[in-house]
Amino acid sequence: DAKTTQPPSMDCAEGRAANLPCNHSTISGNEYVYWYRQIHSQGPQYIIHGLKNNETNEMASLIITEDRKSSTLILPHATLRDTAVYYCIVKANFNKFYFGSGTKLNVKP
Amino acid sequence: NAGVTQTPKFRILKIGQSMTLQCTQDMNHNYMYWYRQDPGMGLKLIYYSVGAGITDKGEVPNGYNVSRSTTEDFPLRLELAAPSQTSVYFCASSYEGGPTSEQYFGPGTRLTVT
């Protein structure tokens, strides 16, 4: 199963776009890219997922490169409430859902 | 819908004691999971269930047991608690197990074994 690599932390100014990168160079053709976030030790919260096309929902946008070896989660207008640990996960099956250490996003006023 | 609920929120156990962590979901999801999260780390899968009466081991099952007698409930049993089981435990559920099915998480149970 593919594993992911994320920077341990990032800063973003409030109101600006937050772009969180993720490398998944060993991703398989049937594995989806998922993003979750965890706010202050609460249960992880689903954000978005995609296979190869870019995806957008009310929370965020997901940009997946054409070779699928990396992706970027975009929070278009970050707020202080978006301060959290963001996890990038590649998933092919329900019991292959590996959470790494994630990226701690600090949104600053 | 309440989603996924867990009880208790906090618990302190002495070494060798036993306890059951409760998890209930009201979304009629077939799949349920238990994860543990150690400080500063990601989540690790302990056990999962694909339906009532069916359970299987995840990545770190040693020291735990589960049962799934109903669709709604998926309790996690700790026998002979050890300090290494100090962690935050999350229960999750999903409607199906395919690659497009997201998991919904409960608020967690913070367990300390001393």
Side-chain angles (χ1 to χ4, degrees), chain A residues 12-13 16 18 20 22 31 33 40 43 47-48 51 53 56 59 62 65 83 87-88 90 93 105:
Chain A
C12 178
R16 304 297 293 267
L20 291 88
C22 180
E31 289 182 313
V33 179
H40 193 54
I47 301 173
I48 198 167
L51 181 62
N53 297 321
T56 296
M59 289 183 68
L62 173 61
T65 58
T83 292
Y87 296 99
C88 169
V90 290
N93 205 351
L105 176 67

PDB file of all heavy atoms in Angstrom, chain A residues 12-13 16 18 20 22 31 33 40 43 47-48 51 53 56 59 62 65 83 87-88 90 93 105:
ATOM      1  N   CYS A  12      -0.001  29.784   7.771  1.00  0.00           N
ATOM      2  CA  CYS A  12      -0.815  30.464   6.771  1.00  0.00           C
ATOM      3  C   CYS A  12      -1.467  31.672   7.436  1.00  0.00           C
ATOM      4  O   CYS A  12      -1.909  31.586   8.599  1.00  0.00           O
ATOM      5  CB  CYS A  12      -1.891  29.515   6.229  1.00  0.00           C
ATOM      6  SG  CYS A  12      -3.008  30.259   5.032  1.00  0.00           S
ATOM      7  N   ALA A  13      -1.529  32.780   6.716  1.00  0.00           N
ATOM      8  CA  ALA A  13      -2.197  33.964   7.238  1.00  0.00           C
ATOM      9  C   ALA A  13      -3.706  33.829   7.069  1.00  0.00           C
ATOM     10  O   ALA A  13      -4.193  33.306   6.052  1.00  0.00           O
ATOM     11  CB  ALA A  13      -1.697  35.207   6.523  1.00  0.00           C
ATOM     12  N   ARG A  16      -5.992  34.017   3.745  1.00  0.00           N
ATOM     13  CA  ARG A  16      -5.249  33.587   2.568  1.00  0.00           C
ATOM     14  C   ARG A  16      -5.515  32.122   2.278  1.00  0.00           C
ATOM     15  O   ARG A  16      -6.046  31.386   3.121  1.00  0.00           O
ATOM     16  CB  ARG A  16      -3.741  33.807   2.780  1.00  0.00           C
ATOM     17  CG  ARG A  16      -3.343  35.223   3.124  1.00  0.00           C
ATOM     18  CD  ARG A  16      -3.668  36.191   2.004  1.00  0.00           C
ATOM     19  NE  ARG A  16      -2.871  35.956   0.816  1.00  0.00           N
ATOM     20  CZ  ARG A  16      -1.718  36.572   0.569  1.00  0.00           C
ATOM     21  NH1 ARG A  16      -1.236  37.456   1.430  1.00  0.00           N
ATOM     22  NH2 ARG A  16      -1.065  36.329  -0.533  1.00  0.00           N
ATOM     23  N   ALA A  18      -4.583  28.312   1.920  1.00  0.00           N
ATOM     24  CA  ALA A  18      -3.623  27.362   2.490  1.00  0.00           C
ATOM     25  C   ALA A  18      -3.465  26.221   1.496  1.00  0.00           C
ATOM     26  O   ALA A  18      -4.454  25.612   1.084  1.00  0.00           O
ATOM     27  CB  ALA A  18      -4.115  26.841   3.830  1.00  0.00           C
ATOM     28  N   LEU A  20      -1.673  22.684   1.062  1.00  0.00           N
ATOM     29  CA  LEU A  20      -0.995  21.616   1.797  1.00  0.00           C
ATOM     30  C   LEU A  20      -0.583  20.524   0.818  1.00  0.00           C
ATOM     31  O   LEU A  20      -1.436  19.878   0.204  1.00  0.00           O
ATOM     32  CB  LEU A  20      -1.897  21.038   2.883  1.00  0.00           C
ATOM     33  CG  LEU A  20      -2.186  21.963   4.070  1.00  0.00           C
ATOM     34  CD1 LEU A  20      -3.396  22.837   3.825  1.00  0.00           C
ATOM     35  CD2 LEU A  20      -2.370  21.148   5.334  1.00  0.00           C
ATOM     36  N   CYS A  22       1.232  16.895  -0.555  1.00  0.00           N
ATOM     37  CA  CYS A  22       1.369  15.499  -0.141  1.00  0.00           C
ATOM     38  C   CYS A  22       2.011  14.716  -1.281  1.00  0.00           C
ATOM     39  O   CYS A  22       1.601  14.837  -2.425  1.00  0.00           O
ATOM     40  CB  CYS A  22       0.009  14.916   0.199  1.00  0.00           C
ATOM     41  SG  CYS A  22       0.054  13.181   0.714  1.00  0.00           S
ATOM     42  N   GLU A  31      -6.025   3.181  -5.930  1.00  0.00           N
ATOM     43  CA  GLU A  31      -6.013   3.864  -4.632  1.00  0.00           C
ATOM     44  C   GLU A  31      -6.477   5.307  -4.769  1.00  0.00           C
ATOM     45  O   GLU A  31      -6.011   6.040  -5.650  1.00  0.00           O
ATOM     46  CB  GLU A  31      -4.617   3.820  -4.006  1.00  0.00           C
ATOM     47  CG  GLU A  31      -4.241   2.427  -3.519  1.00  0.00           C
ATOM     48  CD  GLU A  31      -2.874   2.384  -2.858  1.00  0.00           C
ATOM     49  OE1 GLU A  31      -1.929   2.934  -3.426  1.00  0.00           O
ATOM     50  OE2 GLU A  31      -2.773   1.781  -1.771  1.00  0.00           O
ATOM     51  N   VAL A  33      -7.002   9.156  -3.094  1.00  0.00           N
ATOM     52  CA  VAL A  33      -6.354  10.090  -2.176  1.00  0.00           C
ATOM     53  C   VAL A  33      -7.435  10.718  -1.301  1.00  0.00           C
ATOM     54  O   VAL A  33      -8.414  11.272  -1.801  1.00  0.00           O
ATOM     55  CB  VAL A  33      -5.599  11.197  -2.932  1.00  0.00           C
ATOM     56  CG1 VAL A  33      -4.958  12.167  -1.918  1.00  0.00           C
ATOM     57  CG2 VAL A  33      -4.540  10.604  -3.847  1.00  0.00           C
ATOM     58  N   HIS A  40      -7.410  19.695  17.416  1.00  0.00           N
ATOM     59  CA  HIS A  40      -7.166  19.622  18.846  1.00  0.00           C
ATOM     60  C   HIS A  40      -7.648  18.305  19.467  1.00  0.00           C
ATOM     61  O   HIS A  40      -8.453  18.291  20.369  1.00  0.00           O
ATOM     62  CB  HIS A  40      -7.827  20.799  19.564  1.00  0.00           C
ATOM     63  CG  HIS A  40      -7.349  20.962  20.989  1.00  0.00           C
ATOM     64  ND1 HIS A  40      -6.020  21.060  21.320  1.00  0.00           N
ATOM     65  CD2 HIS A  40      -8.034  21.020  22.146  1.00  0.00           C
ATOM     66  CE1 HIS A  40      -5.916  21.166  22.632  1.00  0.00           C
ATOM     67  NE2 HIS A  40      -7.114  21.148  23.153  1.00  0.00           N
ATOM     68  N   GLY A  43     -12.007  13.771  17.081  1.00  0.00           N
ATOM     69  CA  GLY A  43     -11.998  12.739  16.064  1.00  0.00           C
ATOM     70  C   GLY A  43     -11.706  13.320  14.694  1.00  0.00           C
ATOM     71  O   GLY A  43     -12.113  14.440  14.384  1.00  0.00           O
ATOM     72  N   ILE A  47     -12.530  15.520   4.814  1.00  0.00           N
ATOM     73  CA  ILE A  47     -12.555  16.759   4.041  1.00  0.00           C
ATOM     74  C   ILE A  47     -12.938  16.483   2.593  1.00  0.00           C
ATOM     75  O   ILE A  47     -13.923  17.023   2.086  1.00  0.00           O
ATOM     76  CB  ILE A  47     -11.173  17.463   4.066  1.00  0.00           C
ATOM     77  CG1 ILE A  47     -10.754  17.787   5.505  1.00  0.00           C
ATOM     78  CG2 ILE A  47     -11.212  18.743   3.224  1.00  0.00           C
ATOM     79  CD1 ILE A  47      -9.342  18.323   5.609  1.00  0.00           C
ATOM     80  N   ILE A  48     -12.173  15.622   1.917  1.00  0.00           N
ATOM     81  CA  ILE A  48     -12.370  15.442   0.490  1.00  0.00           C
ATOM     82  C   ILE A  48     -11.601  14.216   0.041  1.00  0.00           C
ATOM     83  O   ILE A  48     -10.680  13.769   0.731  1.00  0.00           O
ATOM     84  CB  ILE A  48     -11.890  16.702  -0.278  1.00  0.00           C
ATOM     85  CG1 ILE A  48     -12.463  16.777  -1.686  1.00  0.00           C
ATOM     86  CG2 ILE A  48     -10.365  16.794  -0.280  1.00  0.00           C
ATOM     87  CD1 ILE A  48     -12.268  18.143  -2.345  1.00  0.00           C
ATOM     88  N   LEU A  51      -9.665  10.478  -7.124  1.00  0.00           N
ATOM     89  CA  LEU A  51      -8.881   9.420  -7.758  1.00  0.00           C
ATOM     90  C   LEU A  51      -7.836  10.018  -8.698  1.00  0.00           C
ATOM     91  O   LEU A  51      -6.652   9.785  -8.532  1.00  0.00           O
ATOM     92  CB  LEU A  51      -9.803   8.475  -8.531  1.00  0.00           C
ATOM     93  CG  LEU A  51      -9.121   7.294  -9.220  1.00  0.00           C
ATOM     94  CD1 LEU A  51      -8.444   6.390  -8.195  1.00  0.00           C
ATOM     95  CD2 LEU A  51     -10.132   6.505 -10.052  1.00  0.00           C
ATOM     96  N   ASN A  53      -9.013  13.033 -10.971  1.00  0.00           N
ATOM     97  CA  ASN A  53      -9.496  14.352 -11.368  1.00  0.00           C
ATOM     98  C   ASN A  53      -9.474  15.289 -10.171  1.00  0.00           C
ATOM     99  O   ASN A  53      -9.548  14.864  -9.031  1.00  0.00           O
ATOM    100  CB  ASN A  53     -10.917  14.259 -11.901  1.00  0.00           C
ATOM    101  CG  ASN A  53     -10.996  13.416 -13.147  1.00  0.00           C
ATOM    102  OD1 ASN A  53     -10.120  13.480 -14.007  1.00  0.00           O
ATOM    103  ND2 ASN A  53     -12.030  12.604 -13.240  1.00  0.00           N
ATOM    104  N   THR A  56     -13.642  19.430  -5.859  1.00  0.00           N
ATOM    105  CA  THR A  56     -13.951  20.601  -5.027  1.00  0.00           C
ATOM    106  C   THR A  56     -15.241  20.340  -4.276  1.00  0.00           C
ATOM    107  O   THR A  56     -16.183  19.789  -4.828  1.00  0.00           O
ATOM    108  CB  THR A  56     -14.100  21.878  -5.880  1.00  0.00           C
ATOM    109  OG1 THR A  56     -12.840  22.170  -6.496  1.00  0.00           O
ATOM    110  CG2 THR A  56     -14.490  23.068  -5.008  1.00  0.00           C
ATOM    111  N   MET A  59     -15.748  22.602   1.492  1.00  0.00           N
ATOM    112  CA  MET A  59     -14.645  22.797   2.430  1.00  0.00           C
ATOM    113  C   MET A  59     -13.335  23.122   1.739  1.00  0.00           C
ATOM    114  O   MET A  59     -12.541  23.939   2.243  1.00  0.00           O
ATOM    115  CB  MET A  59     -14.434  21.555   3.293  1.00  0.00           C
ATOM    116  CG  MET A  59     -15.502  21.297   4.316  1.00  0.00           C
ATOM    117  SD  MET A  59     -15.102  19.856   5.326  1.00  0.00           S
ATOM    118  CE  MET A  59     -13.699  20.451   6.246  1.00  0.00           C
ATOM    119  N   LEU A  62      -9.115  19.705  -4.084  1.00  0.00           N
ATOM    120  CA  LEU A  62      -8.048  18.721  -4.143  1.00  0.00           C
ATOM    121  C   LEU A  62      -7.502  18.706  -5.560  1.00  0.00           C
ATOM    122  O   LEU A  62      -8.250  18.470  -6.510  1.00  0.00           O
ATOM    123  CB  LEU A  62      -8.574  17.333  -3.753  1.00  0.00           C
ATOM    124  CG  LEU A  62      -7.622  16.162  -3.916  1.00  0.00           C
ATOM    125  CD1 LEU A  62      -6.377  16.347  -3.048  1.00  0.00           C
ATOM    126  CD2 LEU A  62      -8.333  14.852  -3.559  1.00  0.00           C
ATOM    127  N   THR A  65      -1.856  15.579  -9.286  1.00  0.00           N
ATOM    128  CA  THR A  65      -1.042  15.694 -10.494  1.00  0.00           C
ATOM    129  C   THR A  65      -1.404  14.602 -11.487  1.00  0.00           C
ATOM    130  O   THR A  65      -1.966  13.561 -11.121  1.00  0.00           O
ATOM    131  CB  THR A  65       0.455  15.606 -10.154  1.00  0.00           C
ATOM    132  OG1 THR A  65       0.711  14.365  -9.488  1.00  0.00           O
ATOM    133  CG2 THR A  65       0.877  16.762  -9.264  1.00  0.00           C
ATOM    134  N   THR A  83      -7.073  25.807  11.903  1.00  0.00           N
ATOM    135  CA  THR A  83      -5.855  25.321  12.559  1.00  0.00           C
ATOM    136  C   THR A  83      -6.098  23.892  13.031  1.00  0.00           C
ATOM    137  O   THR A  83      -7.006  23.624  13.814  1.00  0.00           O
ATOM    138  CB  THR A  83      -5.482  26.214  13.755  1.00  0.00           C
ATOM    139  OG1 THR A  83      -5.082  27.501  13.268  1.00  0.00           O
ATOM    140  CG2 THR A  83      -4.348  25.597  14.562  1.00  0.00           C
ATOM    141  N   TYR A  87      -4.261  15.245   7.481  1.00  0.00           N
ATOM    142  CA  TYR A  87      -3.734  13.950   7.074  1.00  0.00           C
ATOM    143  C   TYR A  87      -4.075  13.668   5.617  1.00  0.00           C
ATOM    144  O   TYR A  87      -5.221  13.790   5.201  1.00  0.00           O
ATOM    145  CB  TYR A  87      -4.329  12.830   7.921  1.00  0.00           C
ATOM    146  CG  TYR A  87      -3.966  12.890   9.384  1.00  0.00           C
ATOM    147  CD1 TYR A  87      -4.844  13.424  10.321  1.00  0.00           C
ATOM    148  CD2 TYR A  87      -2.758  12.387   9.837  1.00  0.00           C
ATOM    149  CE1 TYR A  87      -4.530  13.469  11.667  1.00  0.00           C
ATOM    150  CE2 TYR A  87      -2.435  12.415  11.187  1.00  0.00           C
ATOM    151  CZ  TYR A  87      -3.314  12.962  12.088  1.00  0.00           C
ATOM    152  OH  TYR A  87      -2.996  13.001  13.418  1.00  0.00           O
ATOM    153  N   CYS A  88      -3.065  13.276   4.877  1.00  0.00           N
ATOM    154  CA  CYS A  88      -3.225  12.801   3.511  1.00  0.00           C
ATOM    155  C   CYS A  88      -3.110  11.278   3.545  1.00  0.00           C
ATOM    156  O   CYS A  88      -2.151  10.744   4.109  1.00  0.00           O
ATOM    157  CB  CYS A  88      -2.140  13.414   2.631  1.00  0.00           C
ATOM    158  SG  CYS A  88      -1.984  12.729   0.986  1.00  0.00           S
ATOM    159  N   VAL A  90      -3.773   7.496   1.306  1.00  0.00           N
ATOM    160  CA  VAL A  90      -4.153   6.808   0.079  1.00  0.00           C
ATOM    161  C   VAL A  90      -4.838   5.508   0.476  1.00  0.00           C
ATOM    162  O   VAL A  90      -4.384   4.804   1.362  1.00  0.00           O
ATOM    163  CB  VAL A  90      -2.961   6.567  -0.861  1.00  0.00           C
ATOM    164  CG1 VAL A  90      -2.495   7.889  -1.435  1.00  0.00           C
ATOM    165  CG2 VAL A  90      -1.836   5.872  -0.159  1.00  0.00           C
ATOM    166  N   ASN A  93      -8.846   0.163   0.176  1.00  0.00           N
ATOM    167  CA  ASN A  93      -9.786  -0.714   0.842  1.00  0.00           C
ATOM    168  C   ASN A  93      -9.991  -0.242   2.269  1.00  0.00           C
ATOM    169  O   ASN A  93      -9.158   0.484   2.821  1.00  0.00           O
ATOM    170  CB  ASN A  93      -9.277  -2.151   0.821  1.00  0.00           C
ATOM    171  CG  ASN A  93     -10.399  -3.143   0.927  1.00  0.00           C
ATOM    172  OD1 ASN A  93     -11.544  -2.777   1.183  1.00  0.00           O
ATOM    173  ND2 ASN A  93     -10.085  -4.412   0.753  1.00  0.00           N
ATOM    174  N   LEU A 105      -1.172  22.579  10.469  1.00  0.00           N
ATOM    175  CA  LEU A 105      -1.411  23.883   9.849  1.00  0.00           C
ATOM    176  C   LEU A 105      -1.724  24.902  10.934  1.00  0.00           C
ATOM    177  O   LEU A 105      -2.664  24.725  11.705  1.00  0.00           O
ATOM    178  CB  LEU A 105      -2.568  23.813   8.856  1.00  0.00           C
ATOM    179  CG  LEU A 105      -2.957  25.153   8.216  1.00  0.00           C
ATOM    180  CD1 LEU A 105      -1.836  25.648   7.312  1.00  0.00           C
ATOM    181  CD2 LEU A 105      -4.264  25.021   7.441  1.00  0.00           C
TER     182      LEU A 105
END
